[in-house]
């Protein structure tokens, strides 16, 4: 159930790595050590594109080196939150699935069906569509009432229906900060994969999430509380310890 | 007023370039020749990140070489449609403004205020927030009634208010396919910069856009009808001709 989020923030990576290796190699080395210590407890890894793009022109080369360090059996999530018209979306899908070989991707749905379906064309993959997000601004639009339900419910119903007859599957991003939304969405979509961020640094409780989410497929993501468990030379073993604790609370 | 959109699709770039140079250099060369012939008629260039990311790990290096070919005086738009929680958004903003030096960026607003404000921290820049988009799926959610108005109007009001007191400015993306939305949004936001895609290949009429948009600041984007005006060795001069025609219809 545990998904480890790789959000390598240069200002929080242990100083000794950055000074010894320079920033690009420090990011690779940091992520590789985190992966080694946490992968026994994780079923998936979520790579946050923002932190790699911020490295500059070679950010995607650094991302490739991190992907290469992941064990074969884990699921990979491209946390890219892309969303563009059909023609552009198909090029983003090519980047994520064909070039980088990710198993799944996060998608922003505001532009509607033709912005999502290009991510449903690859066998065995999943497009996690943003439904109810865990950040403060998540309540600015997602909970507005429309057609008698909150927008996130209306949108989730639509997005799940878009995978009918497609090769890939729609999943939903549902943040740990709104347990009621998690229950409501699970009741409507018992078999849909949920990606649940917001546990740990963002304040969500892992055990509350598990009791709300029922028995359907779920990945619970934790990023910062694992990555930055220690800023010292023991950062990787500390991360492994927090990953193990989180996995134990999640119960599988 | 004219913004030329650079969406270099490898399957539509003239064959002689791809065969002679390989795909990465062909994209650079194609864009550079388009820039040379169209920049006399354009005030802005919009770079669509999807097409560069689809090139693979070196896509952002290709993007850099295209940016380097733009005249100093044109406005640059990072058409990236990013949208993530505040912490991640600040890293995307670093990529777009600090690393690449863009003047503006397109942003997907579904995650709310903290996903947009990190793009309002750079003096003289603009974050064009998706309001009413020109693609078929643009009507799936954007026109839903909420709080007595269509979602796109509610969202535009919020997004424009978010730039109060910030250093950067909020703009709005309003597609050419919904002239009524353009009129309504302009009436509410007379001084907000509008980026209007959907003219040309997507079917919108340039003259209808200009009469609907009134006298407020506006950029009208055309991509495919200019880029692929010819698939032959005369592609650049053909693109220049269509850019000039479009500029003349736009009237400035």
């Amino acid at each position: 159930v545990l998904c480890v989020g790789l959000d390598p923030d240069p200002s929080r990576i242990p100083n000794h790595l950055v000074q010894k290796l320079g920033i690009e190699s420090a990011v690779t080395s940091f992520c590789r050590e985190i992966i080694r210590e946490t992968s026994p407890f994780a079923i998936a890894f979520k790579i946050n594109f923002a932190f790699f793009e911020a490295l500059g022109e070679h950010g995607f080369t650094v991302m490739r080196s991190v992907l290469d360090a992941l064990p074969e059996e884990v699921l990979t999530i491209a946390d890219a939150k892309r969303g563009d018209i059909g023609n552009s979306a198909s090029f983003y899908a090519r980047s994520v699935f064909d070039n980088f070989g990710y198993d799944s991707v996060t998608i922003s749905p505001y532009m509607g069906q033709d912005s999502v379906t290009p991510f449903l064309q690859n066998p065995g993959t999943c497009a996690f569509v943003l439904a109810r997000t865990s950040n403060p601004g998540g309540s600015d639009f997602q909970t507005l009432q429309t057609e008698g339900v909150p927008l996130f419910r209306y949108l989730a119903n639509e997005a799940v229906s878009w995978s009918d007859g497609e090769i890939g599957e729609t999943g939903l991003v549902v943040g740990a900060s709104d347990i009621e939304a998690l229950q409501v969405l699970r009741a409507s979509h018992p078999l849909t994969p949920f990606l649940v961020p917001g546990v740990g640094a963002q304040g969500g409780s892992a055990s509350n999430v598990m009791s709300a989410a029922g028995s359907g497929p779920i990945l619970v993501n934790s990023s910062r509380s694992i990555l930055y468990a220690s800023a010292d030379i023991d950062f990787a073993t500390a991360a492994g310890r927090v990953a193990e604790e989180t996995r134990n609370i999640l119960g599988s």
Side-chain angles (χ1 to χ4, degrees), chain A:
Chain A
V1 172
L2 177 63
C3 175
V4 173
L6 296 174
D7 300 17
D9 179 342
S11 72
R12 300 188 70 180
I13 290 178
N15 228 340
H16 71 278
L17 286 179
V18 179
Q19 292 189 331
K20 199 172 95 188
L21 301 170
I23 188 60
E24 289 181 10
S25 297
V27 168
T28 302
S29 178
F30 175 75
C31 290
R32 284 178 175 238
E33 293 196 47
I34 295 283
I35 289 166
R36 194 187 62 230
E37 295 293 330
T38 62
S39 56
F41 314 111
I43 193 173
F45 282 83
K46 179 171 77 63
I47 313 272
N48 187 325
F49 277 42
F51 294 83
F52 294 87
E53 294 182 23
L55 293 173
E57 282 168 47
H58 304 119
F60 280 155
T61 304
V62 177
M63 182 193 286
R64 164 71 68 197
S65 73
V66 171
L67 281 170
D68 288 345
L70 289 169
E72 270 295 314
E73 67 275 14
V74 300
L75 292 168
T76 53
I77 303 171
D79 190 10
K81 300 191 174 69
R82 299 304 194 248
D84 207 327
I85 66 170
N87 182 44
S88 301
S90 67
F91 280 84
Y92 280 127
R94 188 183 295 182
S95 168
V96 163
F97 293 125
D98 299 347
N99 293 355
F100 284 114
Y102 278 98
D103 299 314
S104 62
V105 61
T106 56
I107 299 296
S108 184
Y110 186 65
M111 293 182 72
Q113 184 166 5
D114 67 289
S115 71
V116 175
T117 47
F119 296 94
L120 298 172
Q121 309 301 320
N122 290 57
T125 64
C126 180
F128 289 103
V129 172
L130 300 178
R132 182 73 178 100
T133 63
S134 52
N135 60 315
S139 302
D140 287 340
F141 307 124
Q142 296 163 16
T143 55
L144 290 170
Q145 287 288 316
T146 188
E147 305 285 321
V149 292
L151 177 60
F152 73 84
R153 282 192 65 185
Y154 182 89
L155 184 150
N157 287 342
E158 291 291 301
V160 170
S161 77
W162 294 337
S163 57
D164 291 350
E166 301 286 350
I167 301 169
E169 189 173 17
T170 300
L172 296 173
V173 176
V174 192
S177 55
D178 187 347
I179 292 293
E180 199 185 318
L182 196 54
Q183 289 169 322
V184 164
L185 289 173
R186 179 52 87 204
S188 305
H189 308 288
L191 301 176
T192 298
F194 283 8
L195 172 61
V196 182
V199 166
Q202 288 187 61
S205 145
S207 58
N208 288 353
V209 165
M210 292 315 287
S211 52
S215 59
I218 186 170
L219 295 171
V220 178
N221 184 77
S222 190
S223 301
R224 285 172 273 177
S225 61
I226 291 176
L227 295 188
Y228 309 116
S230 163
D232 224 324
I233 49 169
D234 68 337
F235 72 93
T237 52
R241 200 160 51 237
V242 175
E244 184 174 17
E245 287 164 12
T246 310
R247 194 273 318 261
N248 290 343
I249 297 168
L250 295 171
S252 63

